[in-house]
Amino acid sequence: MAVDIDTSRWNALYPNYIDSKKKVFEGRRIGLEKAVEQPHAAEMAEICQYLKIPHLLEMDKYYPRDWMIGGRVRVMLKTPEGAFTHPEIHNKKQLMLKMGELIPKLPSRAKGPPPQAIRGAASCMTAGAAAAAAAASSSAGSGAAGAGAGGSKAERKEAKREEKKAQKKKGK
C-alpha cells in the first residue's frame, strides 16, 4: 500500500478459525459443514481480494494455540468513519462463512486441499535439520530406520540424540 495505514485495529483472521479438521477448542469458529479442510492464509487473502475487502497478509505471524500453522490475514470491515467496506459482509463471522464457501472453489483447490506435510513441520525445517532427518531415515542399520516418521518413542529419542551429536561435531 502506498499510504501508511495503521492495521493494528483491523480484525485478525487465522486459518484455524475456518479449518474443518480443528475442533472448537483448537480454534475453529464456524460450523463443520461450512468449514474448509486445511485453509491457508494466502487463500484467505485471495478471497478478501476477490471480495474487494482491504486486507493485509502476514505470513510471519502464528496462531497462539497452534503455532505450527503460519500466517494470518488482517481485514478492515469498517472504515474509521464507521462505513462498511463491503455491502454484504459486516462482521468476522460473515466473512469466515463466505471464505468457507469460496475457498473450495479456488483454482488451486481443484485437486483438493494441499497435503499436510507441505504446510506442517516439514516446511519449517532448516536445511541442516532436513539433511539430518534424511540421513537418519536412510540409515538402515542400528534401529534408526523408522525413527523420523513415527517409530517408537525410544527410537525417536535416540535419533534426536544422534542428531545433536552430529551438530555438536559440526560446530567444532
Side-chain angles (χ1 to χ4, degrees):
M1 292 182 190
V3 180
D4 208 16
I5 299 174
D6 179 28
T7 59
S8 65
R9 297 187 51 85
W10 291 12
N11 292 319
L13 293 172
Y14 293 93
N16 278 28
Y17 291 178
I18 60 172
D19 192 345
S20 64
K21 295 293 184 184
K22 301 292 180 186
K23 294 180 174 43
V24 171
F25 73 87
E26 293 175 313
R28 183 173 45 82
R29 295 193 179 186
I30 61 175
L32 275 175
E33 62 280 348
K34 296 182 180 176
V36 181
E37 187 176 331
Q38 299 176 354
H40 193 270
E43 293 172 330
M44 295 168 71
E46 194 175 333
I47 297 300
C48 288
Q49 187 157 359
Y50 172 77
L51 295 171
K52 295 180 177 54
I53 295 175
H55 67 282
L56 176 66
L57 177 62
E58 299 174 321
M59 289 305 296
D60 59 332
K61 301 295 182 179
Y62 297 90
Y63 187 51
R65 288 192 212 172
D66 189 3
W67 51 268
M68 290 299 291
I69 306 296
R72 77 174 173 197
V73 179
R74 286 220 178 242
V75 293
M76 179 172 66
L77 297 174
K78 260 188 181 179
T79 62
E81 294 80 35
F84 293 111
T85 58
H86 194 273
E88 296 173 10
I89 298 171
H90 297 162
N91 57 39
K92 278 172 72 168
K93 181 105 176 185
Q94 289 175 337
L95 180 58
M96 289 186 285
L97 291 171
K98 195 68 161 175
M99 285 179 174
E101 176 187 325
L102 295 176
I103 286 177
K105 298 175 183 175
L106 289 173
S108 61
R109 287 283 180 131
K111 296 178 184 170
Q116 182 65 27
I118 294 173
R119 295 183 60 235
S123 63
C124 297
M125 275 193 210
T126 62
S137 65
S138 67
S139 64
S142 76
S152 71
K153 188 174 181 180
E155 289 174 338
R156 289 193 306 264
K157 194 171 184 178
E158 181 62 31
K160 190 171 185 177
R161 189 176 297 132
E162 292 297 323
E163 184 180 335
K164 281 189 175 185
K165 281 183 186 178
Q167 286 178 351
K168 200 171 189 180
K169 266 187 177 179
K170 190 177 180 182
K172 285 186 177 181

